Amino acid sequence: MTLPQHAQIVVIGGGIIGCSTAYHLARDHKADVLLLEQGKLTSGSTWHAAGLVGQLRSSASITQVLKYSVDLYKRLDAETGLETGWRMTGCLRLACNEDRWTEYRRLATTAQSFGMEMHLLSPAEVKEMWPLMRVDDLVGASFLPTDGQASPSDITQSLAKGARMHGTRIVEGVRVTGFAMAGGRITHVETDAGRIACDMVVNCAGQWARQVGAMAGVNVPLQPVKHQYVITEPIEGIVSSTPTVRDPDSRTYFKEEVGGLAMGGYEPDPIAWTTGDVPDDFQFQLFDDDWDHFEQHLVSAVHRVPALETTGVKQMINGPESFTPDGNFILGAAPECANMYVGAGFNAFGIASGGGAGWVLAEWVMKGEAPLDLWSVDIRRFSGLHRDRDWVCERTLEAYGKHYTIGFPHEEYESGRPRIVSPLYERLKARGAVFGSKLGWERPNWFARDKDEPRDIYSMGRQNWFDAVGEEHRAVREAVGLFDQSSFAKFELRGKDAAAALEHICANRIGKAPGRLTYTQMLNSRGGIECDLTVARLAEDLFYIVTGTGFRTHDGQWIREHIGDGMAAELTDVTEAFGTLSLMGPKARDVLAAVAPADDVSNEAFPFGHVRIVTIAGHPVRALRVTYVGELGWELHVPISATGEVFDALMAAGAPHGIRPAGYRAIESLPLEKGYRAWGADITPNDSPFEAGLGWAVKLKSGLPFIGRDAAERTANTPLRKTLAAFVVEDRDIVLLGRETILRDGKFAGYLSSGGYGYTVDRPIGYGYVRNPEGVTGDYLKAGSYELVVANVKVPATLHTGPLHDPENARVKM
C-alpha cells in the first residue's frame, strides 16, 4: 500500500492498544486515521500475551475502562464478523492468609462501590467450583463472575477490521524513523517508506514506545521484563468454562488453554531485558526457555493443582512485557510535545485494558482532555527523574515483584532510594524521621519516638506509627509543628500578561493586589477540577504558584498549554530553588515573631491569605499565610541553601513553645478534621467545585470568563446529583482508607474517596460523595441514616457537612 502524503492522525503500533485506539478514533469521531506497524499486527508483545481479563481496580475510572473492554469484546464479533475468543469464565482469587483475606473483603466492598458483582467463597465452595485444586491451605477466595479470558491476536485482528470498516488505513511493514518538528509540534512522521504530514501522533508502539517517544523528545518510562508462562497438555476435568485462577500468595495464575492450563507468575526476582533500545526486528520472537528461573512457579503450581505433577508441558512462552515504575499503564498527552499522545506500558494487563484504553485515548486525542479521572495512568504523573533508565529499571523490577503481593495501606517502594533529599534530610533522620518517597523526593512520613522501631511495619489494621503520628497531630493542634515540605512543586509566572493568563485559567479571582494569595482550582471544559493550588502575587507581573509534589508535571503542563497564544507570560519551574518549611499551630505566630523580629507578623499586619517577604536568620523568606491543617500557620519558602539555618532557628525559637517536627502522616490526618479536600482523592477531574463544597472559590459572580465557566454555571444552577460529606465512625478500631461503600437508609449512596483517623475528635473519618440522581440537598443529607461498608461489614456512621474541628471557635464538633 502506498503511504498517503497526509493523515489527520497517525497511530504508531499495531498491537491491541494501537488497533483499539484507531478503531475508536474512526468509529466514534470519524477521524482520518493512518495506523503504521513496523512488522505485522500483534507482532510485538500482543501475540504472546496470556489473555486474562480482570476488571476490578482501586480506581473507579480505571475499573470503568476495564469494564468497557469486556463489554466491547462481547459484541465486537457481531460488528466485524471476526471472533475475539472472549469467554466469561469468571475469576477466582485465592487467599492463603488473614491479611490477604482482609484485602479481599475490602475489595468486595470496592466492587460493591463500583457496581460490580463479587462473591467471597469458603475453601469448600472453591473446591466445588474447581475440583482439581488443593484448598486445604486456603482461608477463602473471591470470585468475580464477569471476568474471563480472550484471544489477544483475535481481538486485535477484530479491532483492526473494525477500524478499516470505519475508514482507517492500516499499513504494515513500515517503520517510523523520526519526526519533523516545528514549535514543539510534530509536523511530519518520517518512515522508511516516506514522509507523512499529520496533525497528531498517537504513540502505541508497545515495548518500542520509549524510543519512538524519544524521537520527539518525549519520555515514556518503560522497562521490558521477561515474563514466562507454560501451556500444558490436556488435563481431565479442565474445560472451556473452567474459571481463571489467580493465586497471589503463590505468585501464580492459571487459565484454561485447549483443555489444559496456561500457568505463569510474577516472581520477586524478575529479569529485565534491556535498558537500551529494543531491537526493531524483535517481532514474533521469544527468549530461550529459562526453566531454572521458572522453577519457583512450577513448585507453587504443582502444590495448588497436584495433577500438574504428571502433566506434560507443550510449550513455554518467554517473551518481553512492558512494565512501568509504578505498575500502572501510561496514557495521555505528552508534556514535551504538543501533539503526541501515548498509550503504552500495560504491565501484562494490556488485553484486559485494550478496549477501554483505546476508547478513552481516542476521546483524549480528539477533545484535548481526558474524558474521565485518569490521573493514576496519566503520563504527566512522571517527572525528569524518569529519564534515568537505570533508576526506571530498578524501580520497575520492584513494581513487577509487587504485582501479586498484598496491597498494604501506605506501603512505600524501597528501590532507588534515597534519590532526591532536601537540605534537612540528615537533620530529620537524626530526629527519628521515617521517610517515604514521592516523585523521587525523600519526605518524613513520621518521627519515631525512643520506644519506636524507626521503620514502617505494614498490616491491614492499625500500623506501628499510629500512636507516634497521634502525638505529632496533637502537637500541631495544641502547640506548634514544623513540616519539611520542600518537595512541593513551585513555579513562577512572569510577564505583563501573567495576571490575564491566570485569570483565564483559574476558577477563582487572581487579579488581587501584590501581597495577596489565592487558593484556586483550575477546571477542565466539563467543569471538573484539573488542578488545586495556591497562587501568590509577588508583583504586578510576577506570580508564585505552589502545588503538590506529585502534580509537578501535570499542573505545570496544564498552565503552559492554556496560556493564550501571543501572551507575554512565561512559566518557570523553581521547585529546587526553594525549600519549604510549614510552621503550623496556635503558637506559630510566637515562633515566627521570635525569628523575624524586624517584621510585624500580627494578624492586623499579616492577615490570612497574604504573602510577605520576611527575614529569618539573615535570609529573605517568602512567607505565605495559609493553612492546610486547620490551624494558624505559614508556609515559609526559603532559598534552598538557607533551609538548614532557617530550620535550626525555628526549632530553637520554638523550643519554649513545645515545637516538634511532624511528617506527612500527620498532614494526612489533620485536614480530615477541618474538611480540606485532597486532589486525586476527594476532588478530581470528575468532580465540580460545587459538588465538592468549593463553590465559594469559583468566580461566577465576577462575570469574568475562565476555562470551564459554562460547565460550572450549569452545575451551579441545577440540582446537584452528588455532594461531598464527612462520615465519622464511633468504633475507634475501624480503619477507613477510601472506596468503602456509603449506605443511606440501607441503600447504596456512594463510596468514600478518602479516609483516615482524626486524633482530635478521636474517631475514624472518611469523605465521600453522597449520590442521588434526583438531587442531593442539605435536607436530603440530614434526613438519611448512614452506614459504611468496611471490609464487607456494615458500620454505623454519622454524616457531617461542616468542619469537625473549628479552631476559631475552639471546639470540636461531634
Side-chain angles (χ1 to χ4, degrees), residues 103-278:
E103 180 181 49
Y104 286 179
R105 289 190 291 120
R106 285 192 168 276
L107 281 172
T109 301
T110 300
Q112 179 181 354
S113 295
F114 296 169
M116 291 190 65
E117 184 181 356
M118 181 172 174
H119 307 285
L120 297 176
L121 307 181
S122 68
E125 290 171 314
V126 174
K127 185 72 172 178
E128 185 177 352
M129 186 177 290
W130 231 90
L132 295 177
M133 187 186 298
R134 177 178 174 179
V135 301
D136 60 331
D137 60 343
L138 297 186
V139 178
S142 68
F143 181 63
L144 281 90
T146 58
D147 282 357
Q149 61 190 74
S151 166
S153 293
D154 288 348
I155 291 174
T156 305
Q157 294 293 349
S158 188
L159 286 165
K161 183 176 179 183
R164 289 188 184 101
M165 290 167 59
H166 291 286
T168 293
R169 291 166 289 182
I170 297 178
V171 183
E172 297 173 297
V174 172
R175 179 173 300 141
V176 173
T177 57
F179 301 102
M181 302 187 67
R185 297 180 65 86
I186 295 169
T187 60
H188 295 79
V189 178
E190 308 279 3
T191 79
D192 57 5
R195 164 186 271 210
I196 308 142
C198 66
D199 300 329
M200 284 175 282
V201 171
V202 188
N203 178 3
C204 299
Q207 58 197 356
W208 293 275
R210 182 171 65 179
Q211 54 223 58
V212 169
M215 296 175 189
V218 171
N219 182 43
V220 185
L222 299 178
Q223 176 58 50
V225 181
K226 296 180 179 181
H227 182 73
Q228 299 184 92
Y229 66 94
V230 296
I231 300 172
T232 75
E233 299 286 353
I235 303 171
E236 187 175 352
I238 299 295
V239 296
S240 62
S241 60
T242 297
T244 61
V245 175
R246 288 175 170 85
D247 187 3
D249 294 313
S250 298
R251 298 177 177 267
T252 52
Y253 61 80
F254 305 86
K255 72 157 189 154
E256 186 274 340
E257 185 81 16
V258 197
L261 288 174
M263 184 280 292
Y266 295 89
E267 60 275 12
D269 55 343
I271 300 173
W273 180 16
T274 176
T275 57
D277 286 349
V278 175

Side-chain angles (χ1 to χ4, degrees), residues 283-300:
Q283 300 161 26
F284 292 122
Q285 292 187 55
L286 297 171
F287 304 117
D288 292 338
D289 297 347
D290 188 345
W291 290 101
D292 289 341
H293 193 69
F294 195 71
E295 182 182 11
Q296 57 192 298
H297 297 315
L298 285 175
V299 171
S300 296

Side-chain angles (χ1 to χ4, degrees), residues 82 245 414 452:
L82 293 181
V245 175
E414 298 178 359
D452 297 323

Side-chain angles (χ1 to χ4, degrees), residues 376-452:
S376 64
V377 298
D378 193 322
I379 192 171
R380 293 170 296 180
R381 70 189 187 272
F382 301 118
S383 69
L385 163 70
H386 295 91
R387 290 184 177 273
D388 183 333
R389 290 191 172 189
D390 291 333
W391 188 91
V392 166
C393 180
E394 184 179 359
R395 176 58 58 87
T396 301
L397 292 181
E398 184 184 4
Y400 178 105
K402 290 178 178 289
H403 196 84
Y404 273 168
T405 58
I406 294 169
F408 287 112
H410 310 290
E411 187 173 3
E412 295 278 352
Y413 282 98
E414 298 178 359
S415 59
R417 297 176 56 189
R419 176 65 185 221
I420 307 170
V421 299
S422 89
L424 304 181
Y425 181 72
E426 294 298 337
R427 284 175 171 84
L428 299 177
K429 191 174 180 180
R431 292 175 179 268
V434 179
F435 291 90
S437 179
K438 189 78 168 183
L439 218 61
W441 284 84
E442 292 292 313
R443 313 192 309 176
N445 276 340
W446 60 285
F447 288 82
R449 304 159 299 180
D450 290 342
K451 59 185 175 181
D452 297 323

